Short mmCIF file of all heavy atoms in Angstrom, two decimals:
data_model
loop_
_atom_site.label_atom_id
_atom_site.label_comp_id
_atom_site.label_asym_id
_atom_site.label_seq_id
_atom_site.Cartn_x
_atom_site.Cartn_y
_atom_site.Cartn_z
N ALA C 20 6.19 8.20 -16.41
CA ALA C 20 7.54 7.63 -16.58
C ALA C 20 8.01 6.96 -15.29
O ALA C 20 8.76 5.98 -15.33
CB ALA C 20 8.51 8.72 -17.00
N LEU C 21 7.56 7.46 -14.15
CA LEU C 21 7.92 6.89 -12.85
C LEU C 21 6.94 5.83 -12.38
O LEU C 21 7.33 4.78 -11.88
CB LEU C 21 7.94 8.00 -11.79
CG LEU C 21 9.26 8.58 -11.36
CD1 LEU C 21 9.05 9.67 -10.32
CD2 LEU C 21 10.21 7.55 -10.86
N TYR C 22 5.65 6.14 -12.51
CA TYR C 22 4.62 5.32 -11.88
C TYR C 22 3.79 4.49 -12.86
O TYR C 22 2.91 3.74 -12.43
CB TYR C 22 3.68 6.22 -11.05
CG TYR C 22 4.41 6.98 -9.97
CD1 TYR C 22 4.56 8.36 -10.03
CD2 TYR C 22 4.96 6.31 -8.88
CE1 TYR C 22 5.23 9.05 -9.04
CE2 TYR C 22 5.63 7.01 -7.89
CZ TYR C 22 5.76 8.37 -7.97
OH TYR C 22 6.43 9.06 -6.99
N GLY C 23 4.03 4.61 -14.15
CA GLY C 23 3.31 3.82 -15.13
C GLY C 23 2.05 4.51 -15.63
O GLY C 23 1.69 5.60 -15.19
N THR C 24 1.40 3.85 -16.57
CA THR C 24 0.24 4.44 -17.25
C THR C 24 -1.08 3.78 -16.87
O THR C 24 -2.12 4.15 -17.40
CB THR C 24 0.42 4.34 -18.78
OG1 THR C 24 0.60 2.96 -19.13
CG2 THR C 24 1.62 5.15 -19.24
N ARG C 25 -1.05 2.83 -15.95
CA ARG C 25 -2.28 2.13 -15.55
C ARG C 25 -2.89 2.75 -14.30
O ARG C 25 -2.19 3.06 -13.34
CB ARG C 25 -2.01 0.66 -15.28
CG ARG C 25 -1.62 -0.09 -16.54
CD ARG C 25 -1.45 -1.55 -16.27
NE ARG C 25 -2.75 -2.18 -16.06
CZ ARG C 25 -2.90 -3.42 -15.65
NH1 ARG C 25 -1.85 -4.17 -15.40
NH2 ARG C 25 -4.10 -3.93 -15.47
N ARG C 26 -4.21 2.86 -14.32
CA ARG C 26 -4.93 3.27 -13.11
C ARG C 26 -4.94 2.09 -12.15
O ARG C 26 -5.02 0.94 -12.56
CB ARG C 26 -6.37 3.65 -13.46
CG ARG C 26 -6.51 4.88 -14.28
CD ARG C 26 -7.95 5.18 -14.72
NE ARG C 26 -8.94 4.14 -14.46
CZ ARG C 26 -9.92 4.21 -13.56
NH1 ARG C 26 -10.08 5.30 -12.83
NH2 ARG C 26 -10.78 3.22 -13.40
N PHE C 27 -4.89 2.38 -10.86
CA PHE C 27 -4.89 1.29 -9.89
C PHE C 27 -6.19 0.49 -9.96
O PHE C 27 -6.18 -0.73 -9.83
CB PHE C 27 -4.65 1.79 -8.46
CG PHE C 27 -4.50 0.62 -7.51
CD1 PHE C 27 -3.28 -0.03 -7.42
CD2 PHE C 27 -5.58 0.15 -6.79
CE1 PHE C 27 -3.14 -1.14 -6.59
CE2 PHE C 27 -5.44 -0.96 -5.97
CZ PHE C 27 -4.22 -1.60 -5.87
N GLU C 28 -7.30 1.18 -10.18
CA GLU C 28 -8.59 0.49 -10.22
C GLU C 28 -8.62 -0.56 -11.33
O GLU C 28 -9.24 -1.62 -11.17
CB GLU C 28 -9.73 1.49 -10.40
CG GLU C 28 -9.95 2.40 -9.19
CD GLU C 28 -8.94 3.56 -9.09
OE1 GLU C 28 -8.11 3.74 -10.01
OE2 GLU C 28 -8.99 4.27 -8.08
N ASP C 29 -7.96 -0.29 -12.45
CA ASP C 29 -7.89 -1.28 -13.53
C ASP C 29 -7.02 -2.46 -13.11
O ASP C 29 -7.35 -3.62 -13.37
CB ASP C 29 -7.34 -0.64 -14.81
CG ASP C 29 -8.26 0.44 -15.35
OD1 ASP C 29 -9.49 0.37 -15.10
OD2 ASP C 29 -7.75 1.36 -16.02
N TYR C 30 -5.92 -2.17 -12.47
CA TYR C 30 -5.03 -3.23 -11.99
C TYR C 30 -5.72 -4.06 -10.90
O TYR C 30 -5.52 -5.28 -10.82
CB TYR C 30 -3.73 -2.64 -11.46
CG TYR C 30 -2.76 -3.69 -10.96
CD1 TYR C 30 -2.15 -4.58 -11.84
CD2 TYR C 30 -2.48 -3.81 -9.61
CE1 TYR C 30 -1.27 -5.55 -11.39
CE2 TYR C 30 -1.62 -4.78 -9.15
CZ TYR C 30 -1.02 -5.65 -10.04
OH TYR C 30 -0.16 -6.61 -9.57
N LEU C 31 -6.53 -3.43 -10.08
CA LEU C 31 -7.24 -4.14 -9.02
C LEU C 31 -8.11 -5.25 -9.58
O LEU C 31 -8.17 -6.34 -9.00
CB LEU C 31 -8.08 -3.15 -8.20
CG LEU C 31 -8.87 -3.72 -7.03
CD1 LEU C 31 -7.96 -4.39 -6.01
CD2 LEU C 31 -9.69 -2.62 -6.38
N GLU C 32 -8.75 -5.01 -10.70
CA GLU C 32 -9.57 -6.06 -11.33
C GLU C 32 -8.70 -7.24 -11.73
O GLU C 32 -9.10 -8.40 -11.59
CB GLU C 32 -10.34 -5.50 -12.52
CG GLU C 32 -11.42 -4.50 -12.11
CD GLU C 32 -12.31 -5.03 -11.00
OE1 GLU C 32 -12.81 -6.17 -11.10
OE2 GLU C 32 -12.51 -4.30 -10.00
N GLU C 33 -7.51 -6.97 -12.22
CA GLU C 33 -6.57 -8.04 -12.56
C GLU C 33 -6.17 -8.82 -11.31
O GLU C 33 -6.11 -10.06 -11.33
CB GLU C 33 -5.34 -7.44 -13.24
CG GLU C 33 -4.33 -8.43 -13.71
CD GLU C 33 -3.14 -7.77 -14.38
OE1 GLU C 33 -3.34 -6.84 -15.20
OE2 GLU C 33 -2.00 -8.18 -14.07
N LEU C 34 -5.88 -8.11 -10.23
CA LEU C 34 -5.54 -8.79 -8.97
C LEU C 34 -6.69 -9.69 -8.51
O LEU C 34 -6.45 -10.82 -8.07
CB LEU C 34 -5.24 -7.76 -7.87
CG LEU C 34 -3.88 -7.11 -7.85
CD1 LEU C 34 -3.81 -6.08 -6.73
CD2 LEU C 34 -2.77 -8.14 -7.70
N ARG C 35 -7.89 -9.17 -8.58
CA ARG C 35 -9.04 -9.96 -8.13
C ARG C 35 -9.21 -11.22 -8.97
O ARG C 35 -9.60 -12.26 -8.46
CB ARG C 35 -10.31 -9.11 -8.16
CG ARG C 35 -10.34 -8.11 -7.01
CD ARG C 35 -11.61 -7.31 -6.96
NE ARG C 35 -11.66 -6.55 -5.72
CZ ARG C 35 -12.07 -5.29 -5.65
NH1 ARG C 35 -12.48 -4.65 -6.73
NH2 ARG C 35 -12.08 -4.67 -4.49
N SER C 36 -8.90 -11.13 -10.26
CA SER C 36 -9.01 -12.33 -11.11
C SER C 36 -7.88 -13.31 -10.83
O SER C 36 -8.05 -14.52 -10.98
CB SER C 36 -9.07 -11.95 -12.59
OG SER C 36 -7.84 -11.42 -13.02
N CYS C 37 -6.72 -12.82 -10.39
CA CYS C 37 -5.60 -13.70 -10.03
C CYS C 37 -5.82 -14.40 -8.69
O CYS C 37 -5.26 -15.46 -8.44
CB CYS C 37 -4.30 -12.91 -9.95
SG CYS C 37 -3.68 -12.35 -11.53
N PHE C 38 -6.62 -13.78 -7.82
CA PHE C 38 -6.85 -14.32 -6.47
C PHE C 38 -8.37 -14.41 -6.23
O PHE C 38 -8.91 -13.73 -5.34
CB PHE C 38 -6.19 -13.42 -5.42
CG PHE C 38 -4.70 -13.31 -5.57
CD1 PHE C 38 -4.13 -12.24 -6.25
CD2 PHE C 38 -3.86 -14.29 -5.07
CE1 PHE C 38 -2.76 -12.13 -6.40
CE2 PHE C 38 -2.49 -14.20 -5.21
CZ PHE C 38 -1.93 -13.12 -5.89
N PRO C 39 -9.06 -15.24 -7.00
CA PRO C 39 -10.53 -15.26 -6.92
C PRO C 39 -11.09 -15.77 -5.59
O PRO C 39 -12.23 -15.46 -5.25
CB PRO C 39 -10.93 -16.20 -8.07
CG PRO C 39 -9.73 -17.08 -8.27
CD PRO C 39 -8.54 -16.21 -7.95
N ASP C 40 -10.30 -16.50 -4.83
CA ASP C 40 -10.78 -17.02 -3.55
C ASP C 40 -10.54 -16.07 -2.39
O ASP C 40 -10.92 -16.37 -1.25
CB ASP C 40 -10.10 -18.37 -3.25
CG ASP C 40 -10.46 -19.42 -4.28
OD1 ASP C 40 -11.56 -19.37 -4.84
OD2 ASP C 40 -9.60 -20.29 -4.54
N ASP C 41 -9.93 -14.94 -2.68
CA ASP C 41 -9.62 -13.97 -1.63
C ASP C 41 -10.47 -12.71 -1.81
O ASP C 41 -10.84 -12.35 -2.92
CB ASP C 41 -8.13 -13.60 -1.69
CG ASP C 41 -7.26 -14.82 -1.50
OD1 ASP C 41 -7.39 -15.47 -0.45
OD2 ASP C 41 -6.46 -15.13 -2.41
N ARG C 42 -10.77 -12.10 -0.70
CA ARG C 42 -11.53 -10.84 -0.73
C ARG C 42 -10.55 -9.68 -0.61
O ARG C 42 -9.89 -9.53 0.42
CB ARG C 42 -12.54 -10.81 0.41
CG ARG C 42 -13.44 -9.60 0.35
CD ARG C 42 -14.57 -9.72 1.36
NE ARG C 42 -14.89 -8.38 1.80
CZ ARG C 42 -15.06 -8.03 3.04
NH1 ARG C 42 -15.00 -8.91 4.00
NH2 ARG C 42 -15.33 -6.79 3.34
N LEU C 43 -10.45 -8.88 -1.66
CA LEU C 43 -9.56 -7.72 -1.67
C LEU C 43 -10.40 -6.46 -1.54
O LEU C 43 -11.17 -6.13 -2.43
CB LEU C 43 -8.75 -7.69 -2.97
CG LEU C 43 -7.94 -8.94 -3.31
CD1 LEU C 43 -7.23 -8.77 -4.64
CD2 LEU C 43 -6.96 -9.27 -2.19
N THR C 44 -10.25 -5.78 -0.44
CA THR C 44 -10.94 -4.52 -0.20
C THR C 44 -9.96 -3.40 -0.50
O THR C 44 -8.82 -3.44 -0.03
CB THR C 44 -11.43 -4.43 1.26
OG1 THR C 44 -12.29 -5.53 1.53
CG2 THR C 44 -12.15 -3.11 1.52
N TYR C 45 -10.41 -2.40 -1.24
CA TYR C 45 -9.51 -1.31 -1.63
C TYR C 45 -10.00 0.01 -1.05
O TYR C 45 -11.17 0.37 -1.16
CB TYR C 45 -9.45 -1.20 -3.15
CG TYR C 45 -8.65 -0.03 -3.65
CD1 TYR C 45 -7.32 0.15 -3.27
CD2 TYR C 45 -9.21 0.91 -4.50
CE1 TYR C 45 -6.58 1.22 -3.72
CE2 TYR C 45 -8.48 1.99 -4.96
CZ TYR C 45 -7.16 2.14 -4.57
OH TYR C 45 -6.43 3.21 -5.02
N VAL C 46 -9.07 0.71 -0.40
CA VAL C 46 -9.34 2.05 0.14
C VAL C 46 -8.19 2.95 -0.29
O VAL C 46 -7.02 2.57 -0.17
CB VAL C 46 -9.45 2.02 1.69
CG1 VAL C 46 -9.56 3.43 2.25
CG2 VAL C 46 -10.61 1.15 2.14
N GLN C 47 -8.52 4.14 -0.77
CA GLN C 47 -7.52 5.15 -1.09
C GLN C 47 -7.96 6.44 -0.43
O GLN C 47 -9.13 6.80 -0.45
CB GLN C 47 -7.40 5.35 -2.60
CG GLN C 47 -6.25 6.28 -3.03
CD GLN C 47 -6.54 7.78 -2.92
OE1 GLN C 47 -7.67 8.22 -3.12
NE2 GLN C 47 -5.52 8.55 -2.57
N SER C 48 -6.99 7.14 0.17
CA SER C 48 -7.30 8.44 0.74
C SER C 48 -6.07 9.33 0.66
O SER C 48 -4.93 8.86 0.78
CB SER C 48 -7.73 8.31 2.21
OG SER C 48 -8.00 9.60 2.74
N ASN C 49 -6.34 10.60 0.48
CA ASN C 49 -5.29 11.61 0.52
C ASN C 49 -5.12 12.19 1.93
O ASN C 49 -4.32 13.10 2.12
CB ASN C 49 -5.61 12.74 -0.46
CG ASN C 49 -5.55 12.26 -1.89
OD1 ASN C 49 -4.67 11.52 -2.28
ND2 ASN C 49 -6.51 12.69 -2.69
N HIS C 50 -5.85 11.65 2.90
CA HIS C 50 -5.89 12.20 4.25
C HIS C 50 -5.28 11.24 5.26
O HIS C 50 -5.71 10.09 5.39
CB HIS C 50 -7.33 12.55 4.63
CG HIS C 50 -7.97 13.47 3.64
ND1 HIS C 50 -7.74 14.82 3.63
CD2 HIS C 50 -8.80 13.21 2.60
CE1 HIS C 50 -8.41 15.36 2.63
NE2 HIS C 50 -9.05 14.41 1.99
N GLU C 51 -4.32 11.71 5.99
CA GLU C 51 -3.59 10.89 6.95
C GLU C 51 -4.52 10.20 7.96
O GLU C 51 -4.38 9.01 8.23
CB GLU C 51 -2.56 11.76 7.67
CG GLU C 51 -1.69 11.03 8.65
CD GLU C 51 -0.66 11.94 9.30
OE1 GLU C 51 -0.86 13.19 9.31
OE2 GLU C 51 0.33 11.42 9.82
N GLY C 52 -5.44 10.95 8.53
CA GLY C 52 -6.35 10.37 9.53
C GLY C 52 -7.21 9.26 8.97
O GLY C 52 -7.48 8.27 9.66
N ASP C 53 -7.63 9.37 7.71
CA ASP C 53 -8.41 8.30 7.08
C ASP C 53 -7.59 7.02 6.95
O ASP C 53 -8.11 5.92 7.14
CB ASP C 53 -8.90 8.73 5.69
CG ASP C 53 -9.95 9.82 5.74
OD1 ASP C 53 -10.52 10.08 6.83
OD2 ASP C 53 -10.21 10.42 4.68
N LEU C 54 -6.30 7.17 6.63
CA LEU C 54 -5.43 6.00 6.53
C LEU C 54 -5.26 5.34 7.89
O LEU C 54 -5.32 4.12 8.02
CB LEU C 54 -4.07 6.39 5.94
CG LEU C 54 -4.10 6.98 4.53
CD1 LEU C 54 -2.72 7.49 4.15
CD2 LEU C 54 -4.61 5.97 3.52
N ILE C 55 -5.06 6.15 8.91
CA ILE C 55 -4.92 5.63 10.28
C ILE C 55 -6.20 4.93 10.70
O ILE C 55 -6.17 3.82 11.25
CB ILE C 55 -4.55 6.76 11.26
CG1 ILE C 55 -3.14 7.27 10.94
CG2 ILE C 55 -4.65 6.30 12.71
CD1 ILE C 55 -2.79 8.59 11.60
N ASP C 56 -7.34 5.54 10.42
CA ASP C 56 -8.63 4.91 10.75
C ASP C 56 -8.78 3.56 10.07
O ASP C 56 -9.24 2.59 10.68
CB ASP C 56 -9.79 5.82 10.35
CG ASP C 56 -9.95 7.04 11.25
OD1 ASP C 56 -9.36 7.07 12.35
OD2 ASP C 56 -10.66 7.98 10.83
#
Side-chain angles (χ1 to χ4, degrees):
L21 259 180
Y22 301 111
T24 58
R25 293 184 72 188
R26 292 175 351 110
F27 187 81
E28 292 78 5
D29 296 333
Y30 181 69
L31 181 59
E32 292 311 311
E33 183 180 316
L34 280 177
R35 286 183 171 138
S36 68
C37 290
F38 299 97
D40 297 330
D41 300 301
R42 185 171 148 227
L43 305 178
T44 302
Y45 175 57
V46 173
Q47 187 280 325
S48 179
N49 293 318
H50 305 280
E51 182 178 21
D53 291 345
L54 299 173
I55 293 166
D56 288 344

